[in-house]
C-alpha cells in the first residue's frame, strides 16, 4: 500500500524515480508525486490518478538534481486530490517527506506542536512532514530530527523517506510496521517500498527492522537500531528477476499470471516432492514441535483467507488436527484462545498485510508456534515467525491475486500431507498417490488453458451487464465460490456473493428468478449428488445456472444454462482447477465492461494498514 522510491547518485534522478514507481504502482494508484533536490532547491511535482498522469506532467522539462524521492498513493486520510498527494513539504519547501502507513495520533500532534503551521492537505503525512521540519529546526540534523519525530508517533505505522535542502547530500528513512528496503549501489544508493522498485539497479538489499532508521548518501548507508544506536547492516543479495514484472506479450498482467499457474505449481513443488514423498525439512520444525501441536490457526485476509479455508479441510483430512481459519482482522480483537500447543500459520502472499501481521504478533505473544506461507522472501511476516514455507509464484503484479492463490493451495496441500505423515495419520501409499496426482495438475491445467475456454468468454459476454452474481460450491469448493465472487467484484465491480450451496435454501434461494445467474461448482466428489439437488432447487425457480463441472459429466447438462468443463482430478485438488475458469470469467467480464483488471479502482496490492 503506497509505493516508495528514493535515489541519490549520478543518474538522472527523475527518470530513476518514475521508473521505480512504475514497478510499484500496483501498491496504489490514486495519485503520484516526486521531489527532486537540485541547485534550485526542492522541486515537487504531483498528479492525481495513475502514474501516467504524473509522467506526462513531468514531461520533457524534468527537474534536475542529484537526490530525490517518489511516491504512489493509496488514499487513507484525505480524498484523492493533488494537495493530498505526496511528497508533502515543510519548512517553507526546504523539507519534503513521503510516507506509507497511517499516523493514528496525528490530530493530537497537530494540536500539540503545530498550531502555528498552515496545512495544505487533509493528510496525516503532512503532519509528520511539518513535525519533522520543526524537529529539524531544533536538532539541526535531518537524521536526529527523524528520530525525534519517531518518538512522537505513538500509534500507527510508517515507512518514511525525507530530504532537506539544508543537508543536500543525503536522505533519511525510518520504518515501523510498513515495509522499507535499502538498495546498495556503487556511488549511488536507493530506497524502495519493495525490491522490484530498485531491482534494475542493484540486488544488494538491506532490510530495515521495525523502529530502525537510516541516513543514506551516495557512498554510505548508516543504519540505526530501535534505540537510535548505529548498527552494522550487511546487504543481502536477492535472487529475483524482473521478468515477472513484464507483460511478455499478454494484454494484462492478470491474464499472464493466470496462464503462469501451471508453472507456479511446478516451481512450488520443485525439490519438495520426490519418489520418497514430501520433504519440508526446510521448515526446520523439530519432531517434538510437530508432536506438540494440538490445534492449528490459519490466519489470513482476502484471497489468502480463501486458501486458508481450503487448507483447513486439507489439514483436518490428512493430519487429523483441528483447524480454525479466522479472518486476520477479526482474530486480533476477538480474544482468541491461543497457547503453546497452537500452531499459528499466517498465509500472506505479500508477507506485509497489516491485519495478518498484527494477528501473528498476538499469536506469538501468547506462546504459539508460528509459521508463514508467503510469496515474498524477506518480507515482514516471514521475518517474525519460527518457520516459513515460501510459495514460488514470482512477483505478482496484477492487483487481484491469481497465481499466488494457486501457489498457496499447492503449499497447503504439501504441508497438510507432510504433517499427516509426520504424525502418522497419512500413509506412505497415500502420500505417493497424492504426489502423483499433484504433479498431474499442471499438466491438466495447461490443457484447460490451451482450450481457450470459449464457454467462459461467451458467459462473460452474456452476463457483463447484470448487477448481481451468486457463486456456490460445497466442501473443497466452498472457498472456491468465495474466491470466484471476490475476483468478479474486485475487477469488474459487479456485486457477487459466495455461498455454500447447501446453505442456499436457508435464505438466498429467495433471490432466484429468471434473470439471476448462479455459478455452481459441481465437480466429482462424494457430495456431487447433493450439489445436483441444489441445482434442481434453483432450476425449479427458473434461476440461471453456469455450471463448472468435471469433463464428460453428461447429467449436469440439463441443469445448466452454460456449462464449463474442467479436467477431472481428485476432490482435494479440484479447487486448483475450478478456480481457473472463474478467474478468467472475472477477467473477460472486466475487459467487456472497460475496466482495468490490473489496477482496479480503490484497491492496492499490499494492504499495510489496519
Ligand atoms: C484479492 C487480493 C486480496 C489479498 C489480501 C491479502 O485478489 O489480492 O484480497 O488476498 O489483501 O493479501 P496478502 O496475501 O498479501 O496478505
Amino acid at each position: 500500500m503506497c509505493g516508495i522510491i528514493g535515489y541519490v547518485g549520478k543518474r538522472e534522478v527523475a527518470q530513476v524515480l518514475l521508473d521505480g514507481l512504475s514497478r510499484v504502482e500496483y501498491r496504489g494508484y490514486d495519485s503520484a508525486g516526486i521531489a527532486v533536490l537540485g541547485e534550485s532547491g526542492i522541486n515537487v511535482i504531483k498528479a492525481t490518478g495513475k502514474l501516467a498522469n504524473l509522467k506526462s506532467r513531468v514531461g520533457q522539462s524534468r527537474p534536475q538534481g542529484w537526490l530525490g524521492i517518489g511516491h504512489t498513493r493509496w488514499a487513507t486520510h484525505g480524498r484523492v486530490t493533488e494537495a493530498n498527494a505526496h511528497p508533502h513539504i515543510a519548512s517553507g519547501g526546504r523539507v519534503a517527506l513521503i510516507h506509507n502507513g497511517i499516523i493514528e495520533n496525528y490530530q493530537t500532534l497537530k494540536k500539540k506542536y503545530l498550531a502555528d503551521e498552515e496545512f495544505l492537505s487533509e493528510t496525516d503525512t503532512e503532519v509528520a512532514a511539518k513535525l519533522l521540519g520543526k524537529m529539524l529546526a531544533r536538532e539541526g540534523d535531518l537524521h536526529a530530527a527523524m528520530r525525534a519525530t519517531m518518538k512522537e508517533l505513538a500509534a500507527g505505522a510508517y515507512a518514511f523517506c525525507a530530504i532537506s535542502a539544508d543537508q543536500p547530500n543525503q536522505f533519511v528513512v525510518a520504518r515501523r510496521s510498513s515495509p522499507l528496503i535499502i538498495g546498495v549501489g556503487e556511488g549511488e544508493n536507493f530506497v524502495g517500498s519493495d525490491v522490484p522498485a530498485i531491482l534494475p539497479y542493484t540486488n544488494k538489499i538491506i532490510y530495515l527492522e521495525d523502529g530502525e532508521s537510516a541516513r543514506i548518501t551516495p557512498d554510505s548507508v548508516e543504519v540505526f537500531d530501535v534505540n537510535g544506536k548505529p548498527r552494522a547492516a550487511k546487504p543481502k543479495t536477492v535472487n529475483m528477476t524482473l521478468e515477472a514484472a513484464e507483460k511478455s506479450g499478454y494484454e494484462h498482467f492478470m491474464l499472464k499470471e493466470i496462464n503462469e499457474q501451471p508453472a507456479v505449481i511446478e516451481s512450488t513443488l520443485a525439490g519438495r516432492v520426490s519418489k520418497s514423498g514430501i520433504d519440508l525439512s526446510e521448515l526446520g520444525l523439530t519432531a517434538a514441535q510437530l508432536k506438540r501441536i494440538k490445534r492449528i490457526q490459519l490466519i489470513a485476509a482476502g484471497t489468502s483467507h480463501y486458501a486458508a479455508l481450503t487448507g483447513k479441510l486439507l489439514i483436518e483430512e490428512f493430519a487429523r488436527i483441528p483447524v480454525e481459519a479466522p479472518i486476520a482482522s477479526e482474530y486480533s480483537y476477538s480474544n482468541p484462545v491461543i497457547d503453546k500447543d497452537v500452531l499459528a500459520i499466517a498465509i500472506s502472499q505479500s508477507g506485509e498485510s497489516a491485519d495478518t501481521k498484527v494477528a501473528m504478533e498476538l499469536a506469538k505473544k501468547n506462546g504459539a508456534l508460528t509459521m508463514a506461507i508467503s510469496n515474498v522472501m524477506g518480507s515482514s511476516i516471514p521475518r517474525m515467525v519460527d518457520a516459513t514455507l515460501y510459495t514460488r509464484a514470482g512477483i505478482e503484479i496484477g492487483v487481484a491475486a491469481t497465481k499466488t492463490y494457486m501457489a498457496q493451495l499447492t503449499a497447503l496441500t504439501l504441508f497438510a500431507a507432510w504433517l499427516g505423515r509426520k504424525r502418522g495419520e497419512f500413509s506412505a501409499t497415500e502420500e505417493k498417490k497424492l504426489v502423483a496426482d499433484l504433479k498431474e495438475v499442471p499438466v491438466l491445467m495447461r490443457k484447460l488453458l490451451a482450450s481457450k475456454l470459449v464457454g467462459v468468454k461467451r458467459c462473460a459476454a452474456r452476463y457483463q451487464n447484470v448487477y448481481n452474481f451468486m457463486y456456490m460450491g460445497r466442501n473443497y469448493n466452498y472457498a472456491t465460490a468465495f474466491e470466484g465472487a471476490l475476483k468478479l467484484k474486485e475487477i469488474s465491480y459487479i456485486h457477487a456473493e459466495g455461498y455454500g450451496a447447501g446453505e442456499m435454501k436457508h435464505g438466498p434461494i429467495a433471490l432466484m428468478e429468471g434473470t439471476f445467474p448462479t455459478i455452481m461448482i459441481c465437480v466429482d466428489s462424494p457430495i456431487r449428488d447433493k450439489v445436483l439437488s441444489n441445482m434442481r432447487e434453483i432450476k425449479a425457480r427458473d434461476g440461471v445456472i453456469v455450471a463448472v463441472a468435471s469433463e464428460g459429466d453428461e447429467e449436469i447438462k440439463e441443469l445448466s444454462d452454460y456449462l464449463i468443463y474442467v479436467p477431472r482430478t481428485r476432490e482435494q485438488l479440484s479447487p486448483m482447477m475450478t478456480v481457473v475458469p472463474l478467474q478468467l470469467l472475472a477477467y473477460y467480464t472486466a475487459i467487456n465492461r472497460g475496466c482495468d483488471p490490473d489496477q482496479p479502482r480503490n484497491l492496492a496490492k499490499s494492504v499495510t494498514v489496519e
Side-chain angles (χ1 to χ4, degrees), residues 301-304 347-351 353 356 399-401 408 486-487 490 605 607:
T303 288
S304 298
I347 305 178
S348 174
Q349 83 79 20
S350 63
S353 288
T356 310
V399 163
Q408 288 168 348
L486 179 63
K487 289 290 91 92
E490 273 183 309
K605 185 75 189 157
V607 187

Side-chain angles (χ1 to χ4, degrees), residues 39-117:
E39 297 297 348
S40 57
I42 296 176
N43 194 337
V44 177
I45 306 175
K46 309 179 190 187
T48 55
K50 295 194 176 169
L51 186 61
N53 298 352
L54 177 69
K55 282 185 175 164
S56 74
R57 185 162 286 184
V58 172
Q60 299 310 313
S61 57
R62 299 187 163 194
Q64 297 303 308
W66 52 85
L67 173 67
I69 53 181
H71 186 268
T72 59
R73 177 171 187 244
W74 184 81
T76 56
H77 289 60
R79 285 161 301 131
V80 178
T81 62
E82 203 167 305
N84 288 337
H86 300 210
H88 288 283
I89 53 163
S91 310
R94 297 191 67 73
V95 167
L97 175 93
I98 53 178
H99 168 218
N100 169 18
I102 291 179
I103 311 298
E104 287 173 11
N105 61 333
Y106 79 109
Q107 295 286 18
T108 317
L109 293 172
K110 203 169 172 179
K111 276 194 208 116
K112 189 169 166 195
Y113 294 109
L114 305 168
D116 57 334
E117 291 279 350

Side-chain angles (χ1 to χ4, degrees), residues 90-218:
S91 310
R94 297 191 67 73
V95 167
L97 175 93
I98 53 178
H99 168 218
N100 169 18
I102 291 179
I103 311 298
E104 287 173 11
N105 61 333
Y106 79 109
Q107 295 286 18
T108 317
L109 293 172
K110 203 169 172 179
K111 276 194 208 116
K112 189 169 166 195
Y113 294 109
L114 305 168
D116 57 334
E117 291 279 350
E118 191 194 332
F119 283 85
L120 307 172
S121 79
E122 308 153 319
T123 64
D124 53 339
T125 303
E126 194 182 4
V127 172
K130 297 277 195 286
L131 188 60
L132 181 71
K134 279 251 148 112
M135 297 300 182
L136 181 57
R138 191 183 83 188
E139 303 286 333
D141 172 70
L142 189 58
H143 182 258
M146 180 60 87
R147 295 295 322 181
T149 304
M150 289 164 77
K151 274 200 187 122
E152 299 295 335
L153 306 178
Y158 53 78
F160 287 133
C161 188
I163 57 176
S164 160
D166 298 326
Q167 282 176 290
N169 206 27
Q170 61 180 264
F171 55 85
V172 301
V173 298
R175 76 166 282 241
R176 184 169 82 197
S177 293
S178 296
L180 199 73
I181 53 117
I182 298 167
V184 181
E186 298 210 348
E188 59 181 358
N189 284 309
F190 304 81
V191 64
S193 45
D194 41 11
V195 177
I198 59 173
L199 202 54
Y201 310 109
T202 180
N203 63 354
K204 296 197 171 50
I205 305 294
I206 295 174
Y207 292 93
L208 273 194
E209 299 296 337
D210 265 0
E212 292 194 333
S213 56
R215 184 201 301 273
I216 301 166
T217 71

